[in-house]
Amino acid sequence: MSLFSADGLFKHFGGLVAVDRVSFAVEPGEIHALIGPNGAGKTTLINLISGLLPLDAGRLVLDGADLTGLPPYQRVRRGLSRCFQVTSVFGADSVFDNLMLAVQARAGSSFRCLRRRAAEGSLRESALALAQKFGLDAALDRAAAILPHGDQRKLDVALALATRPKLLLLDEPLAGMGPEDSAQMVALLHRLRTETAILLVEHDMDAVFQLADRISVLDYGRVLASGDVASIRDHPEVQAVYLGTEASG
Amino acid sequence: MKRAPGWLARSLPWLLLLSLALFPLLAPSLDLDYYVGFIRHLLIVMMAATSLNFILGYGGMVALGHSGFVGVGAYTVVALVDGGVTSAWGAWLAAVAVAGAFAAVIGAVSLRTRGVYFLMITLAFSQMLHHLAVSLSAYGGDDGYSLHAPLLLGVGLDDAHPHVLYWVVLALAALLFTFSCRLAVSRFGYALRGIRDNETRMAALGYPIYRIKLAAFIGAGAVAGLAGALLASHNKFVSPSVMHWTESATLLVMVVIGGLGRRWGGPAGVALWLTLAEVLKLYTEYWRWPMGLLLVLIVFLAPKGVVSLFEGPRRAG
């Protein structure tokens, strides 16, 4: 059985159909890439799956649990996590406090109000372990807003991973990164696949072909094609709408 | 850069508490008797301001109806006294509960909106409460209600004794302030500030945004209710003007000039505002003019609140 299945997802904004009966599945341990031209509906799809936008129709199932209609925080509790296309961290806070906040979300109640959080050793340890995994341990005391772009993207992914998801939604994790940062992020995502399945929206085709087990192509809100890397690379229709010169060049 | 504050900064709050506790005993010899009541009033308003600072400064909820809960607390005491209740603790506790219940209902509706809509809707609710109080003819309507019988505090003490009430208020204010400081660095405090700074991300991290905000709103409303109850004991009189919307606005301005989202913001803002008003009233009946000018000056000199002037440089990033 698939780890995650989306079935007939539909969303329109007024007369514009943004996501048109999209169905796909993600298998356990898989990196499933979602590609398509700008405006194809990729980010809308991510917002529908994570619950930040309400679905007009369709069904979402993760690991046997029906997510359709659940508010975002309950989807997170059932194992869904995401990061954002535009880096979304707590800019004024230190990297450490960012990680603490993410770890805290997963570890018990956030309604505790008498105990100092700084005294909770297990939270600190989880936050530090996360920093180490993402190579952020040298920047713990720095405010997130003044980190270099590449480190902010890493922090964004680290926050998403702190909730220990079964399925991680990554919306263009490589956006705006230089080649060095990109290579680091790709290596990092490689390592993450042992912990969680990933739904990856990305424009960097080199990275997609390196990482993805399967690829779905989205165009005008519909799934144009879905398959393994080789079949997508050679798919004539996909080449026409999207890959174009990039694939042949 | 120092991480921990020095011994002076650490002991300052205790020295302040000690001198406040001794003040009623020293006041007669210094010919400052009048100011025992003044400080008592100040401490009560500080509680309301601190609770507002919690939802406004830490929670980012710009509520313009906080005096509504102060009024609910005060009128709960009126209703109970009118019904024959004589225990101060019972009446005050009931005020906390009733104000909390009002905050639960009002918050449950208001928190579905944001920003300026939230401000408008909280204002509307507090106006409704104000009009309700005006229409309560059993409790004097517009004229208000005088509390003649003292409320009993146990062990032979009552709230009519000015010094006893002063110490009770001081103890409650100190307790509440300590609690609010702890709350700010607890899981709940961090979660609330996270929601203020980046609500979308907090939702994506799995935080129940609405429930966290509502819990903060109810807590703040309950504390405002306590302030209202103490105000009733302090004045021995309650009228609908305690919950007029201008009272909410004044409270909001106090918190802003004190320091939004800073632990001493509420107390500092209240102390500054009420002291300025008191001093200016000595010189002129038209004290609002110079007061306004001074406020403009304060906002320009300390846009982050007067408390920010006493903070060391922020820890380097």
Side-chain angles (χ1 to χ4, degrees), chain A residues 59-80:
Chain A
R59 189 157 178 263
L60 299 162
V61 177
L62 176 64
D63 206 13
D66 192 338
L67 301 185
T68 325
L70 291 183
Y73 76 90
Q74 287 190 8
R75 296 185 195 204
V76 178
R77 289 193 183 162
R78 282 165 180 74
L80 191 78

Side-chain angles (χ1 to χ4, degrees), chain B residues 129-208:
Chain B
L129 291 173
H130 179 252
H131 288 297
L132 181 70
V134 169
S135 69
L136 286 174
S137 53
Y139 305 135
D142 229 354
D143 297 330
Y145 186 96
S146 290
L147 299 146
H148 296 296
L151 285 168
L152 306 178
L153 286 159
V155 291
L157 300 170
D158 63 55
D159 71 346
H161 191 292
H163 292 184
V164 169
L165 183 62
Y166 176 96
W167 282 314
V168 169
V169 166
L170 179 62
L172 287 173
L175 217 66
L176 212 76
F177 184 71
T178 312
F179 173 66
S180 79
C181 291
R182 175 52 65 91
L183 194 58
V185 294
S186 72
R187 284 183 172 211
F188 187 76
Y190 279 105
L192 197 62
R193 265 170 292 171
I195 292 170
R196 174 194 70 189
D197 292 340
N198 192 341
E199 187 168 324
T200 311
R201 183 78 216 209
M202 288 297 277
L205 285 176
Y207 282 95

Side-chain angles (χ1 to χ4, degrees), chain B residues 41-102:
Chain B
H41 178 231
L42 210 118
L43 289 168
I44 295 171
V45 182
M46 278 176 186
M47 289 189 221
T50 298
S51 72
L52 178 63
N53 195 14
F54 189 66
I55 54 169
L56 185 71
Y58 292 87
M61 296 170 246
V62 187
L64 186 53
H66 214 55
S67 67
F69 302 121
V70 175
V72 168
Y75 271 92
T76 303
V77 171
V78 166
L80 289 175
V81 168
D82 197 61
V85 170
T86 54
S87 159
W89 299 111
W92 295 342
L93 211 61
V96 170
V98 174
F102 270 81

